[in-house]
Amino acid sequence: MKSTNLHLTELQETQLSDYLVSRLATLKTDNDERIKADKESWDRYSNQYAFRKKAGTIFTKSNFSIPMTSLIVDYFVTRSEDDLLGTSPYLTFNAQGGSDTKKAVDYDRYFRWKLETNGKTRSRLELANLHAFVQRAAILKATYIENSTTWSEDGGEILFDTELDLPVQTSKGLIIKGVTQIVSGIDEVTGEPTAYPKDDPLFNLNNPVYAWKKVNGLEFKEMLDRGPRSVLVDYNAFYCPSNATSTDDADITCENYDKPLSWVKQMWLDARPWAKWEDFQFSRQHGDATAKTEKASAVKKESLTFDDLDPLIPIHEFWVRRDILGTGVPQDFCVFTDADTNKVIWYEHAAKITPDMRRPYTAIAVGRTSTCWWGPSLVERIAECQDYIDRQFNGVSFRNELSSNPITGINPQALQEEPDDIEVVPGKAYETKPGKTINDFVSFAVMPSVDNRTKELMDFVIYMLQLWLGVSNLAQGDYAKTPMNSTATGVEASLRESSKMGRRWMRRVIEGFEVHLTKLTKLAIVTMDSKETYDFMEGDVKTFADMTADDVRHLDVNVQLVLSQNQSQRQIETADAALKVQERYLNTPAPLRPVLRPLLIQLLQGLGFKNVEDLLPPPEKLAQIEQEMMAMQQAQMAAQQGAAPVAPGQMTPPV
C-alpha cells in the first residue's frame, strides 16, 4: 500500500469522485467523434470498407477498393521512418559548449543503452509513426516499469545474531551466504582482519555473536527489467477535451486500462478510515481475469471466466487540474479509480510523480492546428477522393458483370409450343413459329459503354492526389515516361519538390518524438541507481563503462536531445552548401574578393554558420596564407633539387 502528499478529507474525496464520474461522461461524448473517425481511418487503411454498404449506393452491389489510401499512407510512413529512425543511432545529445563535449559523449552512450538497448524505444516510435498518419493523433506515454520474479529455497544460510536469535539486518536487507558479496580487509585502526558486505562498508561482520544458520523457505527476489518505457496508448482508451491546445493544457485527461487486483493492493492509499482495503477487496474478489477494457488492437477477447485467482480490475487514470483543497489555487494531481465502482484507489501531486512536473502524455498529430491537440488525419484528408475513385471503379465493375450476365427477355409466343415455363439453356434448340426468328423469342439488354470516360475521371482524380501530396511516380522511384525531368538536375529538382509536403508533416512527428524522448530521459535520470554499468560499441569491440546519478543530475542544463538521423541529414546538406561557397570565394581572382566577400558572408550566416571569419578569411589574410603555402611548396622543391629554400615574399632565383 502507498502513502500520499495530497491529503484529502472524506468529504473532499467524495466530491472528487463525483466530479470525475460526471466529467468522464462529458469527455466520452466529446471524444466520441474522434474515436469513430480513428476507427474508420484504420478500416480504410486496412482496406476494410464494410461501413460503406449503405442503401442506394453502388457499394451495396460492388464494394471493391483500390488501395490508394494504404499506398499514400505507407509512402509517407516509410519515408518518415527512413529519415528519422532508419539508421542507428537515431538520437543523440548535442553538447552546448566545448567543455561539455566529453560529458555529451558519455551521456550519448549511456542513454542510448538505457532507452534503446534496454527500453526498446525504437519499435514503439516506429509504431507511433504509423499511428500519427492514420489517426487524428498518436498518444505516447512515458512510464516506468519494474518486472521481478520471486522464489523460495530450502537450506539457505543467513547470518544470525545468536544472542537475540534474530537474523542480522543491514541497510540492504538480510546477509545471505553465497548471495551477499563479502569484502575482506584490514581495519586501519586496530590492524585486525575485518569483513563487511560490499553494499554496506560500515557494517562489521567480525562479531562473535554472529553465526550462519540454515533456514527453510528463504525468499529471493530478482529484478528482471526496470526503467523508463514508451507506451503507445490506444485511441479509444484516451480522453482529453477536444478544444484543449495540448494534453498538458487540458484541465483533465483520462486513460483506461486493466490491472490485476494485486496491483490495486500495492497502489491502495492507506490510512483512510472511510476506505479500507479489506472492504474493497471483499467487494471485488469474485471477478475473473477476462479483459474488461476494450482495446483497439484486440481482435477478440479471450474468455477467462474460470480464472478468479487474481481478477482484472478496469482502471481510470485521471490527470486533473482543479482546486480540490479549496485554497483558491488549482492543484495538478493524478487520481486512480476503479472504473466499475468509482472507488478512489490513490492520488498524488503531479510534481511528485513526473520529473518534469507535467503529464506523461505526448500527442503527435500531422494535421494539428494551433487551436487543439489533434487534427484531421491523412486518411481523412484523402477519404473523399478514395470514395470517388471506388465509386467509379465499382460502377464499371458492376456494369461489366451485367454485360457478362445480361438481363434476358423471353417471348413464349414466338415458340411453336408456347410453354408457360421456359429455361434458356446454352446449346438447346428451340422451335419457333413460322415467320418468327430467335430474336423474336429472346433478347438481351445492352448496358451503355462509358468505361473510357470513367477511366479518364479516375486518372484525373489520382493525378490530382499525386499533385497535391507529392506522391508521384518519380517520387516513388519510377523514372519512366518523365521526358521533362529526364536530365539529372531535372530528376533531382522534382524529387526535392515532391518531398516538401512530407517534410512538413515529418516536422510534426520530430517535434513530438523529441518531447517524448525528453520525458523518457528525465524519467531515466530520477529513477537510475546510484551507479549503473552500461555497454557500448567502440568499433567492433564491446566496451563497458559506469554512470552515476551525480553525473546526470544537471543533464537538462548541459545537453539537448535531438534526433541524430534528421539532424545529420541537415548538417550534411548545410556543410555541402558551405563548401560550395568557400570554393567560389577561393576561385575568385584576388582583386574581386573584397567585392564578393560580403555577399558570401551573408550566405554562410543564412546557413547558420557563426564562424564566418574563419570560413572566409579576409583577402589580406588569404593572400598571406597563399604566399606561405607557395613558399612551402618551393622549399620542398628546393630540398629535392638540393638548392637553398626561398624566404616568403622573395622571388626564386633563376637556375
Side-chain angles (χ1 to χ4, degrees), residues 322-337:
R322 183 177 176 83
D323 183 15
I324 190 63
L325 298 176
T327 61
V329 179
Q331 297 89 39
D332 286 285
F333 55 93
C334 176
V335 187
F336 294 90
T337 66

Side-chain angles (χ1 to χ4, degrees), residues 174-185:
L174 298 175
I175 300 177
I176 306 173
K177 192 173 185 179
V179 176
T180 304
Q181 297 186 29
I182 306 298
V183 178
S184 300

